[in-house]
Amino acid sequence: MTDATQPPSPFTVDDLSAQALQAFEQVVSTTAGFRPRLGQHEMAELVAQTLSSGDLGEHPNPLKSIAVIQAGTGVGKSAAYASTAITLALLRKTRVIISTATVALQEQLMQKDLPALSRAMPLPFSFALAKGRGRFVCKIKLERLAGNGSAIEELFDDAPAMVKPKAFAGQEDPLERRFKLYDTLAGLLAANAWDGDRDNLALPPDPSDWATVAAERHSCTVRHCPRFRDCSYYNARTKLAEANVIVANHDLVLASLGMKTLPELDNCLVVFDEGHHLPAVALDQFSSSMDLSNLRWLDKLPKTMQEVATRMHLHLGDDVNTVTTQLKGVLTQVARMAMDLVWAQTGREASGEGIDGTLRFANGVLPEELKEPVGQILAQATGLSKALETLGTNVKALAKEDPSLAVLASQMYARLGGLAPKLGSLVSTSTLLLEHGEQPLAKWLQASSGGGYLTMTAHACPIVPGDLLRQFLWSKVRAAVVTSASLTSCGSFDYFLHEAGLYGAPHVQAREVASPFNYAAQGQLTVVHTKAEPKDANAYTSEMVALLLKDIAAVKRGALVLFTSKAQMRAATDALPPQLMDRVLVQGTQSRAKLLAAHTARVEAGNPSVLFGLQSFGEGLDLPGMLCETVFIAKLPFAPPTEPVDEARAEWLRSTGVDPFNALVIPATGIKLLQWTGRAIRTEDDQAQVICYDKRLTQTAYGRRMLAGLPPYQLGKRETTYLR
């Protein structure tokens, strides 16, 4: 999705900034329920200055401008950035992308914030939600599968061990379920009762069922497809192209780099809300994996390519059969070698029993015995990928040359397209596995058992998100705002700026905008000094649970308990006496929405209610007033490097003389603690307390560093006389 080069603006930077700020002030003054907030005005002013300054479009020496803004709870950051950014986009004749990390914030923007702004702002604007191609149905695929039993072989390419999935007792047969779904979807389309968007179905389909009919880049002939004019995805793209404001998510923005599915980032304004998620999303986007155990699709590859070539009267030049056989053989060889390595790591013999295990290669060095076979995978998969691409190009050319072949060509191209990502994963993963530079990559094998099958996968991933973001994202962005309620750690932006690839950039400024809440008057943070040391997990958990049970017995309204592990939460749940069971709701026992609804109903009925939750309940949960008058923190939320990427990064840092605990673990924990304590006070009228059972928060130097980065709660201390 490209935009024309920006014409010279008739406004100066100061003019633009002033008009954007004026629009914000009009919104605040005319919208019912808005309260004037000093921090919100400060944020709007900074957003206006930042987004007015960056040069857009073609420019010999473009000026970049990026603001990193931590906006405390209650600032009202969406109104501050949206009103100013949208005004500037309209004045500069460009568009603004607002990118979020969660569906909840997307829904808030689309259903609440942007509609309210459109009524209050002086200039009219349109907005739309950007979704990935896979959220839409491919009508060509659906037409081929609906009511067509001959396509059965295409439905279970993903089944392990070369067998079709079987229904268990009481379950619907998977094959019948899929055909029933496809017939239903086709009927909805025929009746104009559905627009092809998966999210608009009354019941969400099983992901594996949907994947077979989902639109995807590799299987799309675009304008040569006979269904192009009524394609669900491209119709949505058309609406997106007409919108002044595009709401997207971080995954889609990073996945779309260079793909032209969103406006070019050097020619539009960008706001990254929930920006603290960007580094993790970058690592996920640039990681790669390949399945070494489910190779059924390779048996189909030469057959499918030959069938397509025959039906389209094309010549299949390469010896696809031979190369595919060789590729399957070497993948099987590597799978056996990988199994032996993982079993050796876990101390088990290759007895055939199901195991789950991870083997990370130290310092990103692939074992010598794997280098040659992985090199063969790379060479063979690359050759097949090129042959597949050539065949697909020829099929599309036929559709262009002879419109009467358009339907057949689109169906054949879709069949080829389903194989392209599988070959692509082999090429990208083997390339990364063989790569070894100054900064190592995380490389590991993963064995997992489930459903009676053992799956072996190989993975590779860069370890420094800042490098990725600097190279692929910030090199393109000209004018952007990154905001969140938790960008500082231990009172400093340094950790986030390093992680996000923005540290030391001259065009980047970071500022904290204070919350309007009076934390010292509205809240108290009490640190309980247990007898047991937190490092003595069993003794500490036992004492902490006993103290927690006494505390939740005194809860009068709503409370939230945040645990650092499932085992810890299970220990507390198992220890609940009968008289407390009816007031506790535990994450995982029902959906999040149902838990929160039950919690709200209890509190509003005048009954005490306590939520038990893990990390996901520590961020983004909004329980104002009496819904959460106390937040209990079972233990400081340390996340020691146990995941392969974290382990590899810690290993690399140690090799360079840097302590990973100080450089990574403490700052990351500081951000989590800021998020967790932020569940307590949500409005200017709240009165709440935070009780942390981990005495390290006040007794250690690193704990005091984290404490310095929290809002200025009234600090209290509680000694315990608990004896085991």
Side-chain angles (χ1 to χ4, degrees):
M1 183 183 295
T2 59
D3 292 304
T5 300
Q6 290 297 312
S9 174
F11 305 105
T12 67
V13 170
D14 289 342
D15 289 338
L16 289 168
S17 181
Q19 291 193 54
L21 196 58
Q22 184 179 352
F24 159 75
E25 289 168 347
Q26 177 172 329
V27 167
V28 172
S29 63
T30 60
T31 303
F34 269 55
R35 301 183 185 180
R37 296 167 183 166
L38 185 62
Q40 188 181 44
H41 190 280
E42 181 185 352
M43 179 175 179
E45 191 171 25
L46 180 56
V47 171
Q49 292 171 352
T50 301
L51 298 185
S52 299
S53 302
D55 292 323
L56 303 181
E58 291 186 10
H59 199 284
N61 188 24
L63 177 68
K64 293 189 174 187
S65 182
I66 298 175
V68 175
I69 307 172
Q70 175 166 295
T73 306
V75 165
K77 63 181 186 299
S78 62
Y81 68 65
S83 59
T84 50
I86 293 169
T87 301
L88 286 168
L90 295 172
L91 292 173
R92 303 189 69 178
K93 302 188 185 305
T94 185
R95 291 184 286 171
V96 59
I97 296 174
I98 300 176
S99 179
T100 77
T102 63
V103 172
L105 181 54
Q106 280 192 337
E107 291 176 345
Q108 177 186 315
L109 286 165
M110 292 296 297
Q111 298 170 15
K112 179 183 175 183
D113 295 348
L114 292 176
L117 281 176
S118 69
R119 294 189 293 269
M121 284 181 57
L123 296 173
F125 67 90
S126 58
F127 55 92
L129 179 63
K131 297 183 180 184
R133 193 188 292 255
R135 311 296 292 187
F136 299 90
V137 75
C138 172
K139 294 181 179 179
I140 286 289
K141 290 181 181 179
L142 183 63
E143 288 169 3
R144 186 166 185 273
L145 293 174
N148 184 3
S150 65
I152 183 174
E153 288 299 319
E154 292 183 42
L155 299 184
F156 297 108
D157 289 345
D158 54 349
M162 297 179 65
V163 296
K164 297 180 178 63
K166 296 179 181 178
F168 294 98
Q171 289 185 337
E172 184 180 14
D173 179 81
L175 182 60
E176 291 181 7
R177 184 189 69 220
R178 289 194 178 189
F179 279 127
K180 186 185 296 183
L181 170 67
Y182 303 149
D183 289 344
T184 299
L185 297 183
L188 289 172
L189 286 173
N192 291 319
W194 178 50
D195 62 358
D197 184 338
R198 187 183 77 173
D199 298 327
N200 292 335
L201 290 169
L203 293 174
D206 182 278
S208 61
D209 296 347
W210 174 261
T212 309
V213 293
E216 55 183 351
R217 179 171 59 89
H218 294 96
S219 60
C220 180
T221 56
V222 196
R223 298 183 184 279
H224 307 313
C225 175
R227 299 291 177 265
F228 178 75
R229 290 185 180 276
D230 62 342
C231 173
S232 303
Y233 170 66
Y234 279 102
N235 284 343
R237 282 276 303 274
T238 299
K239 293 178 183 177
L240 208 62
E242 297 168 350
N244 305 112
V245 183
I246 296 173
V247 178
N249 61 53
H250 303 340
D251 284 290
L252 182 60
V253 171
L254 294 183
S256 300
L257 293 173
M259 302 292 292
K260 302 187 184 302
T261 55
L262 292 173
E264 297 289 350
L265 297 183
D266 62 357
N267 208 23
C268 70
L269 309 178
V270 190
V271 177
F272 292 103
D273 200 346
E274 299 177 318
H276 61 282
H277 286 283
L278 267 176
V281 173
L283 286 180
D284 186 60
Q285 280 292 331
F286 291 96
S287 64
S288 189
S289 65
M290 60 181 180
D291 192 338
L292 299 172
S293 48
N294 176 24
L295 306 179
R296 183 171 182 249
W297 65 275
L298 276 172
D299 296 324
K300 281 191 57 184
L301 187 143
K303 178 183 175 184
T304 299
M305 291 180 69
Q306 188 58 62
E307 286 179 355
V308 170
T310 300
R311 292 202 64 180
M312 302 303 297
H313 304 288
L314 294 169
H315 175 62
L316 195 60
D318 296 310
D319 189 356
V320 173
N321 276 295
T322 301
V323 179
T324 304
T325 301
Q326 292 171 344
L327 177 58
K328 184 177 181 182
V330 73
L331 282 167
T332 303
Q333 175 193 354
V334 171
R336 291 197 188 102
M337 296 169 72
M339 198 71 70
D340 290 341
L341 288 167
V342 173
W343 264 317
Q345 173 80 2
T346 57
R348 303 191 188 195
E349 294 183 0
S351 58
E353 62 178 306
I355 63 165
D356 292 334
T358 301
L359 171 61
R360 184 182 63 83
F361 301 126
N363 301 306
V365 178
L366 200 66
E368 199 62 38
E369 63 268 29
L370 287 179
K371 289 181 180 178
E372 182 178 348
V374 170
Q376 292 176 16
I377 292 172
L378 175 59
Q380 292 156 359
T382 299
L384 289 171
S385 184
K386 289 179 179 177
L388 188 73
E389 183 180 358
T390 299
L391 180 58
T393 299
N394 292 335
V395 169
K396 283 205 294 187
L398 284 176
K400 182 178 180 181
E401 294 167 5
D402 186 352
S404 68
L405 294 174
V407 173
L408 179 61
S410 294
Q411 290 177 342
M412 295 299 100
Y413 191 78
R415 291 190 65 188
L416 297 177
L419 299 167
K422 299 176 186 294
L423 282 173
S425 71
L426 296 182
V427 173
S428 60
T429 308
S430 55
T431 298
L432 289 178
L433 287 173
L434 293 169
E435 182 181 318
H436 191 74
E438 183 177 332
Q439 184 185 99
L441 283 77
K443 303 172 186 178
W444 71 98
L445 301 172
Q446 180 75 51
S448 57
S449 55
Y453 302 109
L454 184 61
T455 301
M456 177 63 68
T457 50
H459 304 256
C461 179
I463 60 175
V464 180
D467 291 349
L468 297 170
L469 289 167
R470 187 163 43 246
Q471 179 181 353
F472 295 104
L473 178 65
W474 305 126
S475 62
K476 297 175 173 59
V477 170
R478 301 280 183 79
V481 169
V482 182
T483 187
S484 168
S486 50
L487 294 177
T488 63
S489 178
C490 307
S492 170
F493 281 98
D494 287 358
Y495 174 71
F496 174 76
L497 292 175
H498 278 290
E499 291 292 284
L502 294 171
Y503 187 82
H507 55 273
V508 175
Q509 57 178 321
R511 186 183 301 177
E512 182 175 359
V513 177
S515 167
F517 304 157
N518 186 343
Y519 285 97
Q522 292 181 249
Q524 181 174 24
L525 170 59
T526 300
V527 180
V528 179
H529 286 210
T530 59
K531 297 294 183 182
E533 294 297 324
K535 290 185 178 181
D536 184 354
N538 292 334
Y540 175 80
T541 299
S542 178
E543 182 177 354
M544 179 273 296
V545 167
L547 294 169
L548 174 65
L549 295 183
K550 287 184 179 180
D551 286 338
I552 63 176
V555 168
K556 296 292 191 293
R557 294 179 179 176
L560 171 66
V561 185
L562 293 170
F563 297 94
T564 57
S565 69
K566 289 182 179 178
Q568 196 182 60
M569 185 167 73
R570 192 181 309 115
T573 305
D574 292 344
L576 285 170
Q579 64 269 27
L580 291 183
M581 286 184 178
D582 288 343
R583 70 170 59 185
V584 174
L585 295 162
V586 183
Q587 182 180 2
T589 56
Q590 52 187 316
S591 73
R592 178 176 172 131
K594 288 183 178 179
L595 276 178
L596 297 181
H599 176 75
T600 301
R602 286 182 181 183
V603 174
E604 290 180 347
N607 299 316
S609 182
V610 182
L611 287 165
F612 278 13
L614 299 168
Q615 167 62 30
S616 62
F617 272 34
E619 179 185 356
L621 199 63
D622 189 23
L623 298 170
M626 61 183 180
L627 294 179
C628 185
E629 295 184 335
T630 307
V631 173
F632 299 99
I633 296 177
K635 200 173 187 179
L636 289 179
F638 283 112
T642 54
E643 294 298 317
V645 177
D646 297 328
E647 285 182 343
R649 191 170 181 191
E651 179 182 65
W652 173 65
L653 286 174
R654 280 192 293 268
S655 72
T656 62
V658 176
D659 177 13
F661 182 73
N662 283 314
L664 296 179
V665 177
I666 291 175
T669 306
I671 287 180
K672 282 187 182 178
L673 193 62
L674 179 60
Q675 293 166 347
W676 285 24
T677 58
R679 300 312 99 206
I681 296 175
R682 308 299 298 172
T683 74
E684 284 106 326
D685 302 320
D686 284 0
Q687 292 286 331
Q689 62 175 332
V690 177
I691 297 176
C692 176
Y693 297 99
D694 196 328
K695 61 186 176 183
R696 292 176 295 182
L697 188 58
T698 55
Q699 287 191 338
T700 64
Y702 61 77
R704 290 189 289 273
R705 278 176 58 194
M706 296 181 204
L707 192 60
L710 299 181
Y713 297 101
Q714 182 182 342
L715 187 61
K717 173 184 173 183
R718 195 171 89 195
E719 297 286 353
T720 174
T721 57
Y722 172 82
L723 296 175
R724 290 186 67 196

